[in-house]
Amino acid sequence: MSIAWRQALAWRMQRQLLEPVGRRPSAKSYGGSGRSRAWTRPRPSSPSECDALAPNQGNSPARLRSLRGRLVAVDVEGAELYVLSEDVDELMSTQPMDAVRLLPGHDRWVMGPGTRDEHVVVPPARRTAVTGKANLVVEGGVVRGTWSAKGDELTVTWFGELPPPGQALAQEVAKLAAILDRPLRAAISTA
């Protein structure tokens, strides 16, 4: 089975950023104790990512061996990664998407294992800008900019690799304004 990174990110984004919290998978649904986080990451994972996610919590190669009957290797553009067998059909049927989300600084989307790969989450030239306290703009699962709010203005600094999705950004700003219960005006610049 082979998929593209955009497809894997769309599957992860659908489960982590688009589904209501109550429908997101838990560690217990993956056979964990509730303390284990490795298999709550809804994206194909490597054994080293599992160790980094929850060291000393049973996510070592021994944990992988214990899940052997439930894990399926998936080729993601040349990288052999693993997903639970019950997730394969959903992963394979997921279509890439261009959904936009505004995330807070230090969000797990960019801070966890597996996020350094340039075609996965953060382009290498932008990693320093997004791993501090920057609030993040994600499009299609990839960090495409940062945002900040001051008064009634929300400033988006869009990374210049692609044109900014004006309408989708405006919709996200409107959602944030509703959450904050105050008007927000979007100002978009390109870095």
Side-chain angles (χ1 to χ4, degrees):
M1 289 176 279
S2 183
I3 62 170
W5 278 112
R6 281 187 45 118
Q7 189 175 355
L9 287 172
W11 182 62
R12 179 180 174 210
M13 194 169 184
Q14 203 169 15
R15 298 175 118 211
Q16 276 187 297
L17 301 179
L18 303 179
E19 281 189 4
V21 173
R23 293 184 52 204
R24 295 178 189 163
S26 70
K28 289 186 180 190
S29 69
Y30 288 110
S33 64
R35 292 177 294 136
S36 166
R37 296 184 326 214
W39 297 105
T40 63
R41 270 179 77 91
R43 84 175 201 66
S45 299
S46 70
S48 63
E49 289 173 346
C50 298
D51 284 337
L53 278 167
N56 304 316
Q57 293 188 17
N59 293 308
S60 63
R63 172 75 169 136
L64 281 175
R65 284 190 298 277
S66 74
L67 289 170
R68 184 168 288 149
R70 293 181 62 201
L71 293 177
V72 174
V74 177
D75 178 286
V76 184
E77 294 184 17
E80 184 177 82
L81 302 176
Y82 298 90
V83 295
L84 290 170
S85 57
E86 55 263 34
D87 292 333
V88 171
D89 290 341
E90 181 183 356
L91 172 63
M92 299 305 287
S93 67
T94 300
Q95 297 298 312
M97 66 174 71
D98 293 323
V100 172
R101 290 296 177 264
L102 300 177
L103 302 178
H106 295 290
D107 191 85
R108 288 182 63 201
W109 191 263
V110 296
M111 300 304 289
T115 60
R116 289 186 187 272
D117 215 345
E118 69 181 77
H119 54 278
V120 178
V121 177
V122 182
R126 305 299 186 175
R127 187 139 184 95
T128 301
V130 305
T131 54
K133 294 180 180 179
N135 298 316
L136 310 171
V137 181
V138 174
E139 179 191 37
V142 178
V143 174
R144 299 290 185 200
T146 60
W147 66 271
S148 62
K150 187 173 186 175
D152 68 346
E153 185 169 279
L154 187 133
T155 303
V156 171
T157 303
W158 187 259
F159 301 150
E161 291 85 7
L162 297 172
Q167 184 177 359
L169 280 170
Q171 290 171 345
E172 279 301 293
V173 171
K175 285 180 193 176
L176 184 59
I179 291 168
L180 297 175
D181 195 28
R182 65 181 175 137
L184 287 173
R185 184 174 39 88
I188 302 170
S189 65
T190 303

